[in-house]
Amino acid sequence: MKHLKIQVQGIVQGVGFRPFVHRLALQNNLKGYTYNDAQGIIIHIQGNSKDTDIFLEQLKSQAPVLSKIENLEVKECPIESFNDFQIKESQNGIHQTLISPDIAPCEDCIHEMLDPNNRRYHYPFINCTNCGPRYSIIQDIPYDRKNTTMSDFKLCSQCDKEYHDIQDRRYHAQPNACKECGPKLIYVGNKQDEDELENAINDLKEGKIVAIKGIGGIHLACDANNKQAVLRLRKRKQREAKPFAIMAKDIQTAKELVDISSVEESFLISKERPIVLCKKKAPNSYIELSENKELGIFLPYSPLHILLLERCPVLVMTSANLSDTPVLIDNEEALIKLKDIADSFLLHDRKIENRCDDSLIRIVNDKPYFIRKSRGYAPIVIHTPFDVDGLLALGAHQKGSFALGKNHHVFISPYIGNMETIETMEHFTKALDTYKRLFEITPRQAGCDQHPDYASTLYAQSLDIPITKIYHHHAHMASCMFEHELSGPCFGIIWDGTGLGKDQTIWGAEFLIGDYQDFVRVGSIKPIDLIGNEQAIHEIGRIGLVMSMDANIEQTFFEPTKQEILKKIRIQNSIPATSMGRLFDGLYSILTKKITQDYDGQAPMLLESMVQPTDKRYSLKFYEKEHVRYFDWTPMVKEMIQDTDDIHIKAQKAINTIIDMAIEQVHTLNKEYLPIVLSGGCFQNLQLLQGIYKKLIKENYTVYWHEKVSCNDEGIALGQLAILSQRRK
Ligand code: ZN
Ligand code: ZN
Ligand code: FE
């Protein structure tokens, strides 16, 4: 006979954990009780020790899908006299500590939804304790129906019965609903059928563009097989080139479009349902969907999606937003703002409280590599051995995000977006308020970027708490170090587009040595003059021009007068940038003679996409100035221009040169074999990431990259928070 007190921490409230414990106790002939406490859940079990052992094993191995056990402590207690096993009411004021993300429909719910005899047949809002919306509907804590956007709907007697029956899969499922009592679809368009879904499906089949309200936001959808529809969507959304993601009915359908490895498949069907970047079957297929060799694929993640995709097996699903503003979530707003884009609307009357974009990953070395971490993962929680209590980090600018610390948990926001617009700032501040409320955090200290003009920096300055300004590339480096619990010193290869450096110029191809306290810049690349500053990021021909000029080769990018004017502007109005992103922009422009890119990052992506394998590369040259070792890219540019090889081979040679440049810098600058961290948006380029990684590993360096947050500016907030926490020790 044994009496055990088990304390479970993690996501264990509002996910059917207590009923699960109840079932398990009965199954194993155990007596005792369970209740929620501030840290999670407490279980007392008593019975013979073989049964308690099995109970413990099953507690870990069979826990509800939405739960996440972070910590489990077992203590033996004196024998008591229990009559049965009970679920005790939680004490007042006890809040769940962690909140589950939004999760795709479970097998049971899908089965019921497709069963004509089930009362929820074809009901697009079916859910249970094991699946459905969570973060996107929560307004306040505790996680109870009245504190979610489901409070607008009163449970019917049947749903209410399920909700209160501990043996039922819907026991305490807060969004529980059915056709009688729950949310309903709303169709706005020209079709006259009584069935809203039928109308939308018919529109899609006719090649129309339909705005569809999902879990974390509204999508614009069209038939992915209908080229005209896709092109129309591009035109109306003014999104000429940026790749579209494709929602496929199921894995078999997806496999007709792209090659899918077993690890990619496991993420596609995972309950988080991110968009996974997979390799196209034929590199030049589906150009209208994506000009790259890859296609972003995801599977239906709401019951409504399943019903739609049953009939339209491949849909373009792109976030419904207007240039640089957050994805739309509100019905009225969508009807107004999308009136010239969408032909019809398939909305519903369940409010989206917390906006969440689709997450985007690629699989590298069989592990997920996040490009955007949002729906399915938000609220993102990272457990850390460091004390991060009361800290707030406000992130960067292009890919805004924030991080909040409580005890040993870091809560990271979903993807917020480019902080250029009022709408994005509103989204940022609202999400921050929500996080503070849901996780009961009052920040006492804040960190932000050193850049004085970033909206996040200005926001930090408006707060009534002490702030610390942190260098952009230091934050990138610290972000990756923190993920891997490295204490430093480390050697950082931090490559991105833009960030303010210690010398007040733009950095972005940096080799740093440091820890959380401070860093020194030991290496970089020869600065590239950006003619007309920001304008050069869009008009990459300006970068091509500057780079060829510096390589002493006359190249034509613009018509003669413009080219001469630009040369003059270079002298009067240009800023130097040691940016890897810009180096890629310039190389692409020189190779292809393209003078503009449609979005930041397009040129580097196309450069990566166009390569044909070769081991060859161009020459390397370095120079030293004020203790910083710079890579001089002019010989590479000169040789590339004079090279008679095929353009695709030349692209590969250029990338090989940059990889070897990194290795050479490591040889010279990291003689102590410090652990190496790879961070910054340029490491979304797999050739760079894997190329550098493989070579360094072969030479016995230890190399880390991001596994928990994105390498791009979305991951900056975590780095800032890490630096704050370590500096106050
Ligand atoms: Zn379910
Ligand atoms: Zn009902
Ligand atoms: Fe950056």
Side-chain angles (χ1 to χ4, degrees):
M1 191 76 131
K2 232 186 205 172
H3 173 195
L4 299 179
K5 180 186 176 183
I6 306 159
Q7 193 175 13
V8 193
Q9 295 178 348
I11 304 180
V12 288
Q13 296 180 15
V15 291
F17 209 88
R18 286 175 305 157
F20 156 71
V21 168
H22 186 249
R23 274 197 304 275
L24 221 55
L26 296 187
Q27 253 174 49
N28 292 299
N29 310 308
L30 299 169
K31 290 172 178 172
Y33 58 94
T34 180
Y35 62 94
N36 286 339
D37 88 335
Q39 266 80 51
I41 201 164
I42 305 285
I43 308 162
H44 284 264
I45 46 162
Q46 186 168 295
N48 78 49
S49 56
K50 210 174 129 204
D51 291 333
T52 56
D53 284 353
I54 297 174
F55 177 92
L56 272 177
E57 199 279 310
Q58 292 176 334
L59 188 69
K60 288 179 238 169
S61 63
Q62 297 176 12
V65 240
L66 292 193
S67 68
K68 191 175 153 206
I69 298 178
E70 283 195 337
N71 191 29
L72 196 143
E73 270 171 47
V74 187
K75 229 169 61 186
E76 223 176 310
C77 299
I79 302 295
E80 288 182 43
S81 60
F82 298 116
N83 294 324
D84 52 10
F85 191 88
Q86 283 185 8
I87 295 183
K88 292 197 175 172
E89 276 307 304
S90 325
Q91 291 140 291
N92 254 352
I94 298 271
H95 298 143
Q96 82 169 75
T97 41
L98 300 178
I99 291 160
S100 162
D102 302 296
I103 293 302
C106 70
E107 285 303 317
D108 290 334
C109 285
I110 296 174
H111 191 80
E112 286 178 3
M113 183 175 69
L114 301 178
D115 172 8
N117 296 317
N118 191 282
R119 72 184 189 97
R120 290 191 178 87
Y121 178 60
H122 275 197
Y123 181 58
F125 303 96
I126 188 170
N127 68 83
C128 72
T129 15
N130 298 326
C131 73
R134 291 290 186 281
Y135 171 68
S136 62
I137 59 165
I138 189 168
Q139 294 167 316
D140 207 349
I141 46 168
Y143 175 62
D144 264 338
R145 191 176 176 100
K146 66 172 187 331
N147 288 329
T148 71
T149 58
M150 284 302 291
S151 63
D152 297 344
F153 307 92
K154 193 177 176 313
L155 289 162
C156 70
S157 59
Q158 268 180 294
C159 287
D160 190 65
K161 204 171 143 243
E162 295 165 341
Y163 183 87
H164 287 105
D165 177 3
I166 192 155
Q167 297 303 330
D168 197 283
R169 204 172 86 244
R170 296 194 167 89
Y171 174 74
H172 282 194
Q174 306 304 344
N176 189 24
C178 74
K179 284 176 192 172
E180 293 302 314
C181 66
K184 289 181 177 50
L185 290 175
I186 302 164
Y187 170 82
V188 181
N190 293 325
K191 293 279 180 308
Q192 305 293 336
D193 198 287
E194 261 180 39
D195 187 332
E196 293 82 6
L197 186 70
E198 197 62 33
N199 287 334
I201 288 170
N202 286 329
D203 281 342
L204 287 167
K205 283 183 180 282
E206 286 169 18
K208 300 251 166 66
I209 295 161
V210 185
I212 299 170
K213 188 170 178 181
I215 299 292
I218 296 170
H219 284 111
L220 286 164
C222 73
D223 181 355
N225 282 328
N226 185 333
K227 203 171 165 182
Q228 292 313 313
V230 176
L231 295 176
R232 206 176 311 125
L233 176 56
R234 284 210 177 276
K235 202 166 162 223
R236 288 194 200 163
K237 216 194 163 196
Q238 293 173 355
R239 179 170 165 137
E240 261 150 51
K242 218 171 178 180
F244 281 143
I246 307 303
M247 188 179 274
K249 182 181 168 227
D250 48 31
I251 223 47
Q252 284 70 36
T253 312
K255 280 182 180 168
E256 288 164 21
L257 305 168
V258 289
D259 288 328
I260 298 174
S261 72
S262 60
V263 181
E264 284 163 346
E265 178 166 339
S266 71
F267 277 87
L268 281 167
I269 61 172
S270 71
K271 59 189 195 301
E272 292 87 359
R273 296 282 154 94
I275 300 171
V276 183
L277 282 178
C278 300
K279 218 167 162 190
K280 286 179 183 171
K281 288 256 179 223
N284 293 323
S285 60
Y286 304 103
I287 289 297
E288 70 281 7
L289 300 175
S290 164
E291 55 187 354
N292 307 327
K293 282 181 184 166
E294 293 170 316
L295 207 52
I297 300 281
F298 57 157
L299 298 187
Y301 59 80
S302 83
L304 177 60
H305 293 152
I306 295 175
L307 296 174
L308 280 166
L309 273 284
E310 282 257 292
R311 307 268 301 280
C312 310
V314 277
L315 291 179
V316 168
M317 287 285 242
T318 179
S319 296
N321 61 339
L322 306 177
S323 54
D324 272 341
T325 61
V327 59
L328 293 167
I329 51 175
D330 181 71
N331 291 358
E332 300 307 315
E333 207 182 342
L335 288 170
I336 297 166
K337 293 203 169 155
L338 301 176
K339 69 177 189 328
D340 297 327
I341 302 178
D343 296 302
S344 67
F345 295 79
L346 185 63
L347 306 171
H348 56 72
D349 56 358
R350 183 176 70 202
K351 268 189 290 193
I352 297 173
E353 179 67 21
N354 301 310
R355 174 187 278 117
C356 254
D357 289 78
D358 294 317
S359 295
L360 178 61
I361 64 166
R362 64 201 316 175
I363 304 300
V364 186
N365 285 9
D366 288 346
K367 279 191 226 153
Y369 192 57
F370 288 93
I371 295 167
R372 183 169 63 229
K373 201 169 185 181
S374 204
R375 182 202 34 83
Y377 300 95
I380 301 150
V381 189
I382 293 178
H383 191 82
T384 158
F386 305 126
D387 175 17
V388 292
D389 202 54
L391 299 177
L392 165 64
L394 293 151
H397 190 74
Q398 288 292 327
K399 296 189 167 65
S401 71
F402 61 78
L404 271 166
K406 183 177 184 175
N407 303 325
H408 290 269
H409 283 111
V410 184
F411 296 93
I412 305 174
S413 69
Y415 166 80
I416 302 281
N418 191 349
M419 313 263 285
E420 292 285 334
T421 64
I422 295 169
E423 290 87 345
T424 313
M425 268 323 280
E426 278 171 3
H427 173 26
F428 183 84
T429 48
K430 193 196 163 202
L432 180 55
D433 283 343
T434 305
Y435 265 53
K436 285 199 251 177
R437 193 168 64 247
L438 296 183
F439 304 113
E440 301 181 290
I441 300 170
T442 311
R444 300 188 297 275
Q445 205 186 327
C448 63
D449 200 279
Q450 278 277 1
H451 201 297
D453 303 331
Y454 281 4
S456 55
T457 306
L458 298 173
Y459 182 80
Q461 282 160 344
S462 75
L463 299 171
D464 208 12
I465 49 175
I467 59 166
T468 306
K469 290 190 171 184
I470 293 156
Y471 282 106
H472 189 92
H473 300 93
H474 191 202
H476 269 307
M477 178 166 164
S479 176
C480 192
M481 287 169 63
F482 196 71
E483 267 194 27
H484 297 282
E485 296 176 12
L486 303 172
S487 53
C490 287
F491 186 88
I493 305 181
I494 315 297
W495 289 358
D496 64 1
T498 300
L500 190 69
K502 274 187 175 173
D503 61 0
Q504 303 304 305
T505 67
I506 294 177
W507 289 9
E510 311 309 315
F511 298 86
L512 311 175
I513 291 178
D515 52 22
Y516 299 98
Q517 308 301 331
D518 204 2
F519 70 97
V520 283
R521 181 198 210 191
V522 291
S524 188
I525 62 167
K526 176 183 159 65
I528 300 164
D529 280 345
L530 304 183
I531 303 177
N533 304 343
E534 294 272 294
Q535 274 170 307
I537 299 175
H538 172 66
E539 203 165 56
I540 54 171
R542 295 176 186 224
I543 302 171
L545 175 66
V546 159
M547 283 171 51
S548 340
M549 279 170 77
D550 287 358
N552 285 320
I553 296 198
E554 188 66 36
Q555 288 272 291
T556 314
F557 291 89
F558 303 93
E559 43 101 6
T561 357
K562 180 164 181 178
Q563 184 132 329
E564 284 316 305
I565 291 171
L566 285 172
K567 283 183 186 171
K568 280 188 194 131
I569 298 179
R570 178 180 184 182
I571 301 159
Q572 299 148 2
N573 179 27
S574 69
I575 48 168
T578 61
S579 161
M580 186 53 72
R582 300 296 87 80
L583 184 67
F584 267 76
D585 289 345
L587 290 171
Y588 181 73
S589 177
I590 292 168
L591 275 176
T592 61
K593 282 291 154 72
K594 291 252 166 63
I595 54 166
T596 57
Q597 63 177 346
D598 290 319
Y599 56 93
D600 189 12
Q602 183 189 26
M605 206 136 46
L606 291 174
L607 188 72
E608 185 187 6
S609 246
M610 69 190 277
V611 297
Q612 258 166 30
T614 173
D615 291 335
K616 287 185 264 175
R617 66 160 165 85
Y618 302 114
S619 317
L620 293 174
K621 189 181 159 196
F622 296 89
Y623 63 93
E624 208 177 299
K625 201 177 149 192
E626 289 161 13
H627 307 292
V628 181
R629 190 171 188 253
Y630 292 87
F631 164 59
D632 182 350
W633 37 260
T634 52
M636 167 177 75
V637 169
K638 190 169 184 178
E639 287 168 28
M640 191 177 85
I641 295 171
Q642 289 167 342
D643 192 349
T644 52
D645 255 336
D646 177 77
I647 182 172
H648 306 281
I649 301 282
K650 290 205 268 188
Q652 182 69 67
K653 282 185 186 171
I655 292 177
N656 292 347
T657 313
I658 291 166
I659 291 171
D660 281 0
M661 175 274 280
I663 309 301
E664 276 296 308
Q665 289 282 47
V666 170
H667 289 162
T668 312
L669 303 171
N670 185 16
K671 290 219 156 73
E672 271 122 84
Y673 278 75
L674 297 173
I676 297 169
V677 292
L678 307 178
S679 187
C682 290
F683 285 107
Q684 279 170 217
N685 182 319
L686 284 201
Q687 288 225 340
L688 285 186
L689 182 79
Q690 288 182 307
I692 293 173
Y693 177 79
K694 278 183 195 154
K695 290 201 167 178
L696 289 176
I697 286 292
K698 241 191 214 159
E699 298 179 19
N700 292 323
Y701 291 94
T702 36
V703 187
Y704 298 90
W705 70 50
H706 286 276
E707 289 172 19
K708 293 177 180 161
V709 297
S710 173
C711 65
N712 67 36
D713 284 4
E714 209 180 293
I716 286 272
L718 179 67
Q720 293 171 340
L721 194 110
I723 288 170
L724 283 183
S725 82
Q726 295 304 294
R727 280 192 186 165
R728 76 172 172 187
K729 276 207 298 198

